[in-house]
Amino acid sequence: MRGRSVILTGATGGLGRVIAKRLGEAGARITLAVRDVGRGRELAARIPGSQVRELDLADLSSVRRFAESWDRRIDVLINNAAVMMVPEGRTADGAELQIGTNHLGHFALTNLLLPAITDRVVTVVSKAHVFGRIDLDDLHWRRRRYSPMGAYAQSKLANLLFTRELQRRLAATGSRLALAADPGFAATDLARHTERPLLDVFLGVGIRLAAQGVERSARPILAATAADVGPATWIGPDGPFGLRGRPAVVRWPPATTDTYLGQRLWDLSARETGTDFAPVSTSVT
């Protein structure tokens, strides 16, 4: 990774901090794309060669400002930031908060930066996708009774469909890769802010019993960032149910390989974000 340019979203969270530090140790030039610039600067001070730029994935105007200010090559974009099982909320653009942040924000960011990306896009996914269902007629839970878990699972299934569809489009334009990285059941604070006390307790117990530490959970993401792998590879833990273990190539389950659904979700996402697949630019240095 020495000398390679990496943009990492959600860099100040548990997994993000570990990923940033390990890539920095490997010599990468990391841009910490964060909502809290103060926390980002504290982290950057401990990572030589890193820089901080403000990015709020729940605000498409912030995504556009970030992309418009970028003027050089990117080797790797890591779509890591996420919100999980939070109470019903809306982004600055009126989207349901979890699909808006986890999927639409990263969808727009990827498309806007794609002309500058030379190697790969790594999107962090989750086993929660198995509980997800993409409702293209009510993506933002305006007619359905809101479910924090249902909305989170939908957003993580969207991440996987996005990765497959992005790779399908990249295949016609060059050798760039779209990869999925699953940390497994990670012992982070992400699942402790549901504002539902009983659920927080349940998740806390589950983390203590089954989760693996953030250092181990970051390994599939680091592997997806640096390993020599093929297109549309999914890297996750090799242990029981994919919750923990060493990084390994994971088979895509049928629900995540629905090309027609992936294309329809892409088209809807393009309309909602005002961004779409962009060709490679030859002027980026």
Side-chain angles (χ1 to χ4, degrees):
M1 295 299 297
R2 184 164 299 282
R4 286 166 62 79
S5 172
V6 179
I7 294 178
L8 171 65
T9 70
T12 57
L15 278 174
R17 293 176 69 86
V18 172
I19 295 164
K21 290 176 180 178
R22 296 296 166 260
L23 290 176
E25 290 168 357
R29 294 183 290 108
I30 308 168
T31 297
L32 310 177
V34 298
R35 186 172 56 182
D36 188 332
V37 174
R39 291 179 63 194
R41 287 173 178 159
E42 291 176 5
L43 177 60
R46 298 193 289 274
I47 303 175
S50 63
Q51 65 170 335
V52 178
R53 292 204 183 188
E54 184 176 8
L55 173 66
D56 184 354
L57 290 163
D59 183 347
L60 291 175
S61 66
S62 174
V63 175
R64 288 187 179 279
R65 285 194 300 272
F66 182 96
E68 288 169 359
S69 68
W70 195 269
D71 60 358
R72 57 189 183 278
R73 187 189 82 245
I74 307 163
D75 292 302
V76 185
L77 169 63
I78 306 177
N79 292 325
N80 168 68
V83 291
M84 178 180 177
M85 291 191 290
V86 294
E88 185 172 9
R90 299 284 156 183
T91 68
D93 308 280
E96 186 276 317
L97 185 59
Q98 298 190 80
I99 195 77
T101 302
N102 302 352
H103 169 62
L104 292 175
H106 281 128
F107 177 92
L109 180 69
T110 301
N111 280 322
L112 292 170
L113 293 177
L114 198 57
I117 297 173
T118 62
D119 183 9
R120 64 189 66 188
V121 176
V122 177
T123 299
V124 178
V125 300
S126 165
K127 288 293 186 300
H129 80 270
V130 300
F131 305 108
R133 182 176 70 88
I134 304 293
D135 189 335
L136 295 173
D137 296 321
D138 190 23
L139 195 67
H140 302 294
W141 299 79
R142 295 188 176 101
R143 295 191 296 272
R144 292 176 286 169
R145 181 178 179 181
Y146 183 73
S147 164
M149 179 60 193
Y152 177 67
Q154 177 184 243
S155 75
K156 300 317 285 184
L157 178 55
N159 286 157
L160 288 164
L161 292 168
F162 162 71
T163 299
R164 297 279 298 195
E165 180 61 16
L166 176 60
Q167 185 63 72
R168 190 183 72 81
R169 293 168 184 251
L170 287 172
T173 63
S175 60
R176 290 172 297 169
L177 303 176
L179 308 174
D182 180 2
F185 192 8
T188 70
D189 290 333
L190 191 61
R192 298 175 185 173
H193 302 286
T194 68
E195 296 185 19
R196 300 171 69 184
L198 289 178
L199 180 57
D200 285 347
V201 170
F202 175 77
L203 290 171
V205 171
I207 287 171
R208 287 195 295 272
L209 293 177
Q212 60 183 3
V214 290
E215 290 282 351
R216 291 181 63 85
S217 294
R219 291 170 67 188
I221 305 167
L222 293 169
T225 301
D228 184 9
V229 294
T233 296
W234 180 351
I235 298 179
D238 65 356
F241 307 107
L243 297 179
R244 53 193 302 153
R246 297 171 58 86
V249 174
V250 176
R251 179 179 298 177
W252 292 78
T256 66
T257 60
D258 186 336
T259 301
Y260 178 62
L261 179 59
Q263 291 174 347
R264 293 181 66 203
L265 175 63
W266 184 286
D267 291 341
L268 176 59
S269 302
R271 290 195 299 272
E272 295 210 351
T273 64
T275 68
D276 209 339
F277 185 80
V280 179
S281 170
T282 58
S283 62
V284 176
T285 59

